[in-house]
Amino acid sequence: MVLTKEYTTSPPTFKHLTPYERGKICALLKEGFSPTQIAKKLGRHRSTIYREIKRGTTTQLRTDLTTY
């Protein structure tokens, strides 16, 4: 009897965004580019850009409970 390992899943193929890419996203947003245009410029999927924008956007409360 021969035992063999058969792996049915492939290793993940994603790459993290670099600090340079994060800065580029911020700069392009300030210039008025859409997330889809930014994704094309950086060679990333547009959902990656949308997630990064959402991740970097926060709503904070002041002491008088107003948001900023």
Side-chain angles (χ1 to χ4, degrees):
M1 180 175 187
V2 177
L3 297 175
T4 60
K5 290 184 180 180
E6 291 186 30
Y7 297 106
T8 57
T9 58
S10 59
T13 58
F14 62 88
K15 292 181 353 184
H16 293 280
L17 289 172
T18 64
Y20 175 79
E21 289 175 316
R22 287 190 172 102
K24 193 78 169 165
I25 290 169
C26 183
L28 291 172
L29 279 172
K30 286 181 182 178
E31 290 181 21
F33 285 87
S34 72
T36 303
Q37 291 170 323
I38 295 171
K40 287 180 182 177
K41 283 186 173 289
L42 295 179
R44 297 291 189 140
H45 196 273
R46 67 177 178 193
S47 64
T48 302
I49 306 303
Y50 278 106
R51 278 195 304 269
E52 188 62 27
I53 293 168
K54 184 177 178 182
R55 185 176 295 122
T57 305
T58 59
T59 302
Q60 297 182 357
L61 290 175
R62 294 186 179 98
T63 55
D64 62 354
L65 299 179
T66 59
T67 59
Y68 68 97

